[in-house]
Amino acid sequence: LRWAYREKLIERVPDFDLPSNYTRAEKRPSRRPYFTRNEWNILTNKLPAWTEKPSDKNHRYARRMMRYFILIMANSGLRTDEAEKIKWKDIAYYTSNGEDHVKIMVPEDTKTGSRENVCMPNVIDYLARLKNVSNFTEPEDYVFTTFKGTPFKRKWRSFRRMLTEFEMLKDSYGDERTPYSLRHTYITFRILIGGVEWGTLANNAGTSVKMIQDHYNHITNEMATTELTAFRNNPNALAEG
């Protein structure tokens, strides 16, 4: 309005009387740390050697679980507490349009209740490889386990140590990554690369469209790169010199 007044588009800036009980709106939720495409390539290239480095079999088993936890989480969008409760019986393989797919039945006793989570196709391979290194592969066994078969829960600290070793703990904004960053990476990639409609993505991830809009709206600028950098007539209009 002040700009309009300066440009003589309006005669005066109107006064607005706010209600006495007016309070400033809460700060908009911030963007959530994730891995960029380049960072994801670096991470996954470092994982194999890091996984097999320990000589202790228990330690090596835990790192193998962490490796496939990372790969499957980033390709499914599961929450960490959902992944902890997944059993082999909750995994279903099917064919759609002539292609093989896999979905995970998220248990009822999770944050948003039961739902079908359709994973990226490469999860089929990750699950097969995980099964080859796991000591617990019966239908009632957990997918991610400790060496003793209990749910794989103590991962936050080891995830942090791993990223610190890889010099990838913080994103470019200085925010620290956690296992939840794998879910954020999945959602980001599905919007940015997959072009998935937000409602469909929200249903698959067990969240709301509003939540995606609040936390992932920054992605729309990268999606609109072509439009934002296009010039109608002279592409070098703002070039140096």
Side-chain angles (χ1 to χ4, degrees), residues 38-228:
N38 182 57
E39 290 168 336
W40 178 253
N41 290 335
I42 293 172
L43 173 63
T44 52
N45 285 334
K46 289 176 176 289
L47 272 178
W50 175 85
T51 300
E52 300 302 320
K53 185 177 180 179
S55 56
D56 178 75
K57 63 180 182 181
N58 289 7
H59 193 186
R60 188 166 60 251
Y61 184 88
R63 286 198 176 189
R64 286 173 175 172
M65 282 292 145
M66 176 61 75
R67 178 186 179 184
Y68 292 110
F69 172 84
I70 290 170
L71 294 173
I72 292 171
M73 289 286 288
N75 283 277
S76 66
L78 290 172
R79 295 182 176 86
T80 55
D81 67 313
E82 293 172 345
E84 291 171 0
K85 297 179 179 180
I86 298 298
K87 296 182 178 181
W88 288 105
K89 68 176 183 179
D90 298 321
I91 298 172
Y93 300 90
Y94 65 102
T95 301
S96 178
N97 296 324
E99 297 182 353
D100 294 331
H101 293 275
V102 61
K103 60 184 177 181
I104 296 174
M105 305 300 296
V106 177
E108 178 67 37
D109 59 337
T110 52
K111 181 177 180 179
T112 57
S114 62
R115 74 174 189 281
E116 287 188 0
N117 173 270
V118 177
C119 306
M120 296 300 293
N122 48 3
V123 170
I124 296 174
D125 177 56
Y126 298 150
L127 287 169
R129 286 154 57 183
L130 173 58
K131 216 165 194 178
N132 285 335
V133 300
S134 176
N135 295 334
F136 305 92
T137 58
E138 295 299 318
E140 289 293 336
D141 290 333
Y142 291 103
V143 172
F144 301 106
T145 71
T146 65
F147 192 74
K148 296 181 178 180
T150 56
F152 182 63
K153 292 185 176 181
R154 297 182 62 186
K155 51 188 170 292
W156 293 79
R157 188 178 300 175
S158 57
F159 187 82
R160 190 178 193 279
R161 284 199 299 262
M162 178 198 70
L163 290 186
T164 300
E165 181 179 330
F166 293 170
E167 298 182 345
M168 300 181 73
L169 181 61
K170 296 183 178 181
D171 67 6
S172 59
Y173 290 83
D175 295 323
E176 191 169 304
R177 295 185 174 103
T178 70
Y180 254 91
S181 298
L182 301 169
R183 173 177 166 86
H184 306 326
T185 299
Y186 165 81
I187 294 176
T188 299
F189 278 28
R190 289 296 80 220
I191 296 172
L192 187 59
I193 301 174
V196 179
E197 191 272 326
W198 288 20
T200 301
L201 181 59
N203 288 336
N204 197 55
T207 188
S208 66
V209 171
K210 184 181 185 303
M211 187 66 69
I212 292 178
Q213 289 173 334
D214 286 345
H215 292 289
Y216 302 93
N217 201 44
H218 62 280
I219 301 170
T220 57
N221 267 10
E222 188 169 344
M223 291 173 68
T225 295
T226 300
E227 290 79 6
L228 289 170

Side-chain angles (χ1 to χ4, degrees), residues 18-31:
L18 297 175
S20 59
N21 61 348
Y22 170 81
T23 56
R24 188 176 297 274
E26 292 184 4
K27 185 178 179 181
R28 189 176 180 83
S30 62
R31 66 197 305 281

